[in-house]
Amino acid sequence: MEDVLPASYFAPASPLPTPRTVIHSHGDPHGPSVFPGTGDLLGLHTDTDADADDASDAVSIATTPALTQDEDGTASLESRSIRSSSPTRSVYSLTSSLREQAFREVHGRSVNAHSDVYLLPADDEETRRLDAQHHMLDRLVPGILGPVDEVLREEEGKAKAVLDLGTGSAVWAIQLALQYPHVEVVGVDLAPMQTRDFPPNCRVEVDDINLGMPHFHGQFDFVHARLISSGIKDYCGLIHEIARVLRPGGMILIEEWDFRMYRSVDSHDGPNASYELAPPSTEEKPYWSALSEWLRLLGLAVRQRGGDVDAAAFVNLWIRQHGGFEDFGYQDVWIATQPHFTGKDRWARFRNELAVAMRTDTRAFLQAGMPLLRSHTDDSEYIDRLIREAEQEVVECKKHQYVRLQCTWATLKHPDR
């Protein structure tokens, strides 16, 4: 049996079968409003069809990829104006011509072709990184992710459904579908996923959630989002839209990095450690951490493209202030980027195992960020040097550094509350 960390390791909670893909267009090109009208605030809608129709009637122009058929009957992607699609599914195979239209090459990596905001790769190399990252996080954060079992338990006469936003490699969605075979699991991402087998209760749809999700209103019992902030224009508005997607009593779970590097105060490690930001780079002296400087630059690149790298710090507050949620939970999870724990107990060994996995993920992420950084600045010499120094930093293990995963969950209130 694998070891899991004791609750005391985590920081105290804040008070406050065949691969298949669905491609569709929909919604408001400006995304959900940050401050919806009073009637929409709670996200408690019983007539979901009417809501979807209203949303599509309000704004009829969108520029997401639309699935059409050429004269010879072959499915193809195009960008065109279209009203919100119905929830009825259409399943298509991803042909080579579709793949060419769904992806583009940016500085040697394949990225999605339908969003100017999200510029991290969508290729096999990134799929492998995301799979490994998932298995690391799955070992690290079991048991703190809210009342998943209660929300997804089998109930006679009730079909349960889960939506995974920014599903990436789809490994989280597939694992959940296997764990809960009575639940329908839908993953949504900007890029088609065709490189793996899906269980019969799991599928992936190609979509840009920045445009809203009126076709999903009132259809899901659990909405999950992990590490998607770099591709989200309006994260507060996304939370309001998730509230409309959930059924009453449904659960929201958001996990985000905060794009910062930390070190332990006074070099103290362990369950009761305190953390501070790793010193930034200055012109007067070299930066203490190349990783910290790389993350700072990456954050600037994400902001320039419209992503919300600061969302992690506010998600908990936004969910609490929404007014439609209850049973809140929040947890900071600190993950070492290098294996430096010296204790001989099993928890020190376990933390070092996770740190090795985080180091591997960090080195792969340094390469994954290349298209984004090179699109942000022409100083390729500086970027190359920074990445070399950051890689050397994690390999040498001289600086005890950490990243923070911020996890927030809650359930949607019932209309009578």
Side-chain angles (χ1 to χ4, degrees), residues 5 67 73 100 108 123 125 153 188 207 263 268 274 280 284 300 313 346 348 374 386 397 404 416:
L5 292 177
L67 190 75
E100 289 177 2
D123 51 23
E125 185 176 346
R153 72 182 187 278
V188 174
D207 209 348
R263 63 181 181 182
H268 176 70
S274 298
E284 290 74 21
L300 291 176
R346 64 178 181 139
R374 289 192 180 278
L386 182 61
C397 195
R404 177 170 62 165
D416 56 350

Side-chain angles (χ1 to χ4, degrees), residues 75-109:
S76 64
L77 281 169
E78 65 175 17
S79 291
R80 65 185 180 90
S81 301
I82 190 166
R83 287 179 178 265
S84 175
S85 65
S86 73
T88 304
R89 307 173 202 128
S90 300
V91 179
Y92 295 81
S93 296
L94 187 63
T95 63
S96 58
S97 61
L98 279 175
R99 180 172 292 279
E100 289 177 2
Q101 297 174 69
F103 299 94
R104 56 193 170 107
E105 291 291 321
V106 177
H107 299 291
R109 296 295 295 269

Side-chain angles (χ1 to χ4, degrees), residues 44-329:
L44 304 176
H45 300 270
T46 55
D47 188 356
T48 57
D49 290 337
D51 291 332
D53 291 338
D54 290 344
S56 60
D57 288 341
V59 179
S60 60
I61 302 299
T63 55
T64 50
L67 190 75
T68 62
Q69 287 191 344
D70 296 333
E71 291 182 0
D72 61 358
T74 304
S76 64
L77 281 169
E78 65 175 17
S79 291
R80 65 185 180 90
S81 301
I82 190 166
R83 287 179 178 265
S84 175
S85 65
S86 73
T88 304
R89 307 173 202 128
S90 300
V91 179
Y92 295 81
S93 296
L94 187 63
T95 63
S96 58
S97 61
L98 279 175
R99 180 172 292 279
E100 289 177 2
Q101 297 174 69
F103 299 94
R104 56 193 170 107
E105 291 291 321
V106 177
H107 299 291
R109 296 295 295 269
S110 179
V111 304
N112 82 86
H114 304 293
S115 172
D116 291 329
V117 181
Y118 189 80
L119 205 62
L120 290 176
D123 51 23
D124 290 342
E125 185 176 346
E126 181 70 352
T127 294
R128 289 190 294 270
R129 183 185 77 85
L130 293 175
D131 281 358
Q133 181 189 78
H134 165 78
H135 295 304
M136 174 190 68
L137 294 177
D138 194 45
R139 291 188 66 191
L140 183 60
V141 295
I144 69 166
L145 301 182
V148 178
D149 285 335
E150 180 181 347
V151 170
L152 297 183
R153 72 182 187 278
E154 286 192 72
E155 296 183 71
E156 188 175 354
K158 289 187 178 181
K160 299 293 181 72
V162 172
L163 180 63
D164 184 28
L165 301 178
T167 195
S169 70
V171 63
W172 184 94
I174 291 171
Q175 180 172 302
L176 195 81
L178 293 172
Q179 186 176 353
Y180 299 93
H182 63 283
V183 173
E184 179 185 16
V185 181
V186 180
V188 174
D189 204 272
L190 287 165
M193 175 56 60
Q194 289 279 306
T195 59
R196 64 191 344 144
D197 292 333
F198 291 90
N201 60 323
C202 182
R203 73 178 193 275
V204 169
E205 300 194 5
V206 177
D207 209 348
D208 185 353
I209 60 178
N210 284 304
L211 304 179
M213 298 178 284
H215 56 298
F216 282 154
H217 286 177
Q219 294 188 35
F220 291 93
D221 303 278
F222 180 19
V223 177
H224 173 256
R226 174 189 284 172
L227 311 181
I228 66 172
S229 65
S230 62
I232 302 301
K233 296 180 180 179
D234 173 12
Y235 215 118
C236 180
L238 176 63
I239 290 172
H240 287 287
E241 188 69 353
I242 290 174
R244 303 185 72 186
V245 166
L246 283 170
R247 295 165 178 157
M251 175 181 164
I252 180 176
L253 168 61
I254 294 177
E255 306 167 71
E256 290 290 355
W257 304 125
D258 64 358
F259 282 81
R260 291 171 174 84
M261 189 63 61
Y262 296 85
R263 63 181 181 182
S264 59
V265 177
D266 299 325
S267 298
H268 176 70
D269 294 317
N272 299 316
S274 298
Y275 303 91
E276 63 183 4
L277 288 173
S281 172
T282 66
E283 294 182 1
E284 290 74 21
K285 62 180 180 179
Y287 40 76
W288 182 84
S289 165
L291 277 174
S292 181
E293 173 65 5
W294 182 83
L295 276 177
R296 185 192 68 83
L297 189 60
L298 191 74
L300 291 176
V302 170
R303 289 187 186 95
Q304 184 184 55
R305 306 189 75 85
D308 191 352
V309 294
D310 298 313
F314 298 99
V315 166
N316 183 42
L317 179 63
W318 288 333
I319 292 177
R320 290 176 180 271
Q321 290 183 340
H322 176 271
F325 291 100
E326 60 186 355
D327 300 328
F328 305 98

